[in-house]
Amino acid sequence: MTIVAADVIITGARIVTMDPRRPLASALAVRDGRILAVGDDTTVSEFRGAGTEIRDHRGKTLTPGLIDAHLHPIQGLELAVGADLGGITEATSLLAVLRAEADRALAEDADPWVRGWNLDYDVFHELPCTAAAIDDAVRGLPALLVMYDGHTALASSAGLVRGQIFGPRDFADNSVIVVDAHGAPTGELREMSAYEPVRRSAPALSREQTLDATHQLLRGLGASGLTGGCIMDGSFATLELLRDLDESGRLPIRIVSAVDHEPSFDAERMAENLAVRDERGERWRGGLVKLYADGVVETGTAWLYEPDAEGQGLEPFWKDHAAYARTVAAYAGAGFQVATHAIGDRAIGSAVDAYLQAGVRSANGAPHRIEHLETTADRDLARIAAAGITASMQPLHLQWRKADATDDWAQRLGPERTAHAWRVRDFWDAGAPVALGSDWPIAQNDARIGLAWAMLRRRPGAPDAPIFEPEQRLTAYQALHGYTVGAARAQGDTDLGRLAPGFRADYAVWDADPLQVSPDELVEVAVSETAVGGLVVS
């Protein structure tokens, strides 16, 4: 029998394959970007030829390349602008940062703006969420501050003028320009449709700057073992950007990219989306559509079966919610995979209803997905598991909660629904497909942090920190599964997420086995190399 020579052979490693038929190995062979063989050093050495490159990873651990199941790298470059306001919970601290950023902008920028992102709602327990509250601090400049969840923003008075926002507007979704008793905008803008006019009026990166920044961002993901991501940026411009990066050899990881469908889209706009279903390149593809079923708990825009503590949460994102189900059916019928942002329990239930009516799998066999699932009713969890709908979740979003439940999320939901928070272990135990991700720029895109939060349900490196719903903690294997096998299956890739013959050779090289180190130590374990199709990319 003639043995085909490998392009690359890796030897001497501890290889965590995530393949139940051979969980561990010490060597693997790669040919034409795919895994040719997995086994021990002696067996795999049979595939060595005259031109085979040998990579000795003795003392290292290989895992499949990680996949972030939900992130917004390109949209993140538009939102994560200016000062990172993360961790600021006091008004005096916020105003000081805004003054410093305004002074910098006045000194350095041709068109000075004050931009900030990652802001905690806690600031507004002592500071009004109004333009008037920040106008002096921003020196009268146009300003836009985006909350950590990306669903609410605060504009200064000059920012409102730049965005031509002078009063309330009627949106097709449940976005709101908050106004005072006289109908004047206060500066608080709930949901993206409300704040996008302000953001679009601010200075933006050029095309070349965007290409460079996206390349650097995606390349940097390899530092935590990521070789792929499912991005929810949702525009034709995103697809064009990916095509340009891929064709120029600057797309370092594999990407599945959604296109967005907003409630305001008409039949002509939907047809344009349907036409790009099969867009793809060497390392990227489309075929996924992203919809919203609700907003967020903190502002009362999550859709709930029962009202929250403020009497809110009873409105769907789509004012004509029946149109949501029709839209799901249209995309599913055209062969798209559907992903729905659903945070509140009723939003989750409505997504399940729509998927069951439309059929729960896309043309490529990928199950439809629900993103976030922050509080899920028992009945809907069981239906998701029975139907095989993917639960795409981000346990590291727990980081904004407080031990005494005084955070806005817990205050609005109350103890019963809070007990149903991020039920990732319940989904796993029920047999539902589980995929894990970051939702960057909402949370850190370092997959090691995401893995640690999934296992700990508390802040890594802080053993005395509160543990939220400890019964929902995942094991190390389950967490890694969510970032490998689970994330790959969630996007319909049956040849990613494992290190097995015939699979694409995407892998990460770790200084220690992520299944054996403690979750607190995991965040510090170095990833010395990542490869996509056997080619080292970082």
Side-chain angles (χ1 to χ4, degrees), residues 204-275:
L205 296 177
S206 69
R207 174 73 174 176
E208 283 305 312
Q209 288 172 326
T210 301
L211 285 166
D212 290 343
T214 303
H215 167 72
Q216 291 300 325
L217 174 64
L218 295 179
R219 188 172 184 273
L221 297 179
S224 64
L226 289 162
T227 58
C230 187
I231 68 176
M232 301 289 180
D233 286 345
S235 72
F236 298 146
T238 297
L239 303 185
E240 293 169 3
L241 195 71
L242 292 171
R243 181 180 294 107
D244 285 353
L245 288 170
D246 196 34
E247 291 178 352
S248 64
R250 292 196 292 164
L251 187 58
I253 66 174
R254 299 190 197 277
I255 292 292
V256 173
S257 181
V259 289
D260 194 22
H261 184 104
E262 300 175 10
S264 60
F265 286 4
D266 58 16
E268 181 178 354
R269 183 64 178 80
M270 178 186 281
E272 293 175 351
N273 271 4
L274 294 176

Side-chain angles (χ1 to χ4, degrees), residues 138-210:
V138 301
R139 315 298 195 200
L141 294 176
L144 184 68
L145 313 180
V146 181
M147 308 307 161
Y148 66 74
D149 57 18
H151 281 259
T152 303
L154 174 60
S156 68
S157 295
L160 292 171
V161 171
R162 287 289 193 99
Q164 299 293 293
I165 295 176
F166 303 112
R169 294 182 186 177
D170 187 24
F171 297 102
D173 56 43
N174 70 350
S175 297
V176 175
I177 296 171
V178 178
V179 297
D180 63 20
H182 305 288
T186 65
E188 182 180 356
L189 306 168
R190 296 178 183 170
E191 301 300 331
M192 193 167 290
S193 296
Y195 72 74
E196 271 292 275
V198 181
R199 188 197 64 78
R200 287 197 300 265
S201 68
L205 296 177
S206 69
R207 174 73 174 176
E208 283 305 312
Q209 288 172 326
T210 301

Side-chain angles (χ1 to χ4, degrees), residues 293-312:
D294 67 350
V296 292
V297 170
E298 288 86 346
T299 60
T301 55
W303 195 19
L304 305 170
Y305 284 122
E306 301 293 336
D308 65 20
E310 302 291 328
Q312 297 178 309

